[in-house]
Amino acid sequence: MRSGAVIAVALLSACAAAPIAPPPPDELLRDALFGPASERISAKDVFALSGAMKRYLRQDLAGAMATSGPRQALIDAVSQGQLKLEYDSVRTRTAAEAFEARAGNCLSLVIMTAAFAKELGIEVQYHRASIADMWSRDGNIYFLNGHVNLSLGKRYVDPRTLYDAAELMTIDFLPGRELRGLRTEPVEEATIVAMFMNNRAAEALVRGRLDDAYWWVREAMHVGPAFMGAYNTLGVIYMRRGELELAERVFRRVLAQEPGNTR
């Protein structure tokens, strides 16, 4: 039976850094409660380049790379309109899907840009933004929205100067007026992948595909065990399945890791 309660899901949660969590314990996962996924769920797909993306680098971007270098050519392509990218929050896309659609939310566009950068041998650093809580609603589910961006630059061997600010170029897909005063913290690529999986789980929840939502969030927990947003989503999934005791156990785990996070 579909729950009538208002439920909150952390979508690209922007909480402060939490203590590193161990891999998800088996007692929090209940595979037997869910049917098989209706779509492929694999972390390997997130940054994978399609044939069209590789051709774009070889053909369309070749001239600009020869003139201004790979990093500047890529920055111009994603920020100056050459790719004609559009913001679309309906679905979180892989790198290949975002390129094909020429659209995506901030996470999708960051993933696409990073996939190109890694193919070109450009160093990538990901950032999670500290922003005021932004909530959205779909039916009886509330979503806490967050934001990410990325920087492209040169990595130094000296650990005291891991990145030189002069060598970093930050790409952000928010409008310029929304970037003023934006504070960020670095996150690992595994966390970006976990965010992607968690977003897909939330999107499956909205469409009523509870089995898919479970398998997406399960993958998120394995890829990024320190990302508590995925645990929160798992608790919501258990609530929807009527497993309230399991949901409570998961939420208690989140609060144990992030005592100050009551969102």
Side-chain angles (χ1 to χ4, degrees), residues 91-210:
R91 176 178 170 83
T92 303
R93 296 181 169 95
T94 65
E97 290 168 342
F99 179 76
E100 181 179 5
R102 298 297 198 274
N105 56 20
C106 65
L107 181 58
S108 302
L109 297 177
V110 161
I111 287 170
M112 184 199 72
T113 304
F116 276 132
K118 293 196 294 180
E119 180 73 8
L120 295 171
I122 301 169
E123 293 290 345
V124 178
Q125 185 179 30
Y126 305 96
H127 309 276
R128 177 166 49 188
S130 298
I131 56 178
D133 288 354
M134 295 189 301
W135 294 89
S136 59
R137 180 179 179 178
D138 193 301
N140 65 345
I141 303 179
Y142 280 90
F143 296 94
L144 175 61
N145 299 283
H147 180 65
V148 293
N149 62 24
L150 80 166
S151 296
L152 306 181
K154 179 180 178 182
R155 185 187 295 271
Y156 286 88
V157 176
D158 186 345
R160 294 170 300 176
T161 57
L162 188 59
Y163 283 92
D164 184 339
E167 291 291 335
L168 281 173
M169 295 288 288
T170 298
I171 302 174
D172 200 297
F173 296 98
L174 275 178
R177 65 181 181 277
E178 297 183 30
L179 292 176
R180 288 192 292 269
L182 189 69
R183 294 188 300 173
T184 63
E185 60 179 2
V187 294
E188 298 296 327
E189 186 168 282
T191 301
I192 294 293
V193 176
M195 289 175 172
F196 172 90
M197 298 288 177
N198 187 59
N199 276 21
R200 282 288 182 92
E203 291 158 6
L205 264 176
V206 168
R207 296 193 296 272
R209 292 163 50 185
L210 203 59

Side-chain angles (χ1 to χ4, degrees), residues 23-64:
D26 291 340
E27 65 266 20
L28 292 185
L29 297 172
R30 290 292 186 275
D31 295 359
L33 294 174
F34 300 91
S38 67
E39 56 188 338
R40 174 183 165 91
I41 297 175
S42 173
K44 295 179 180 179
D45 295 340
V46 177
F47 288 97
L49 268 70
S50 63
M53 294 175 75
K54 293 178 181 179
R55 286 192 298 274
Y56 176 78
L57 291 179
R58 289 196 309 267
Q59 300 172 10
D60 299 272
L61 211 60

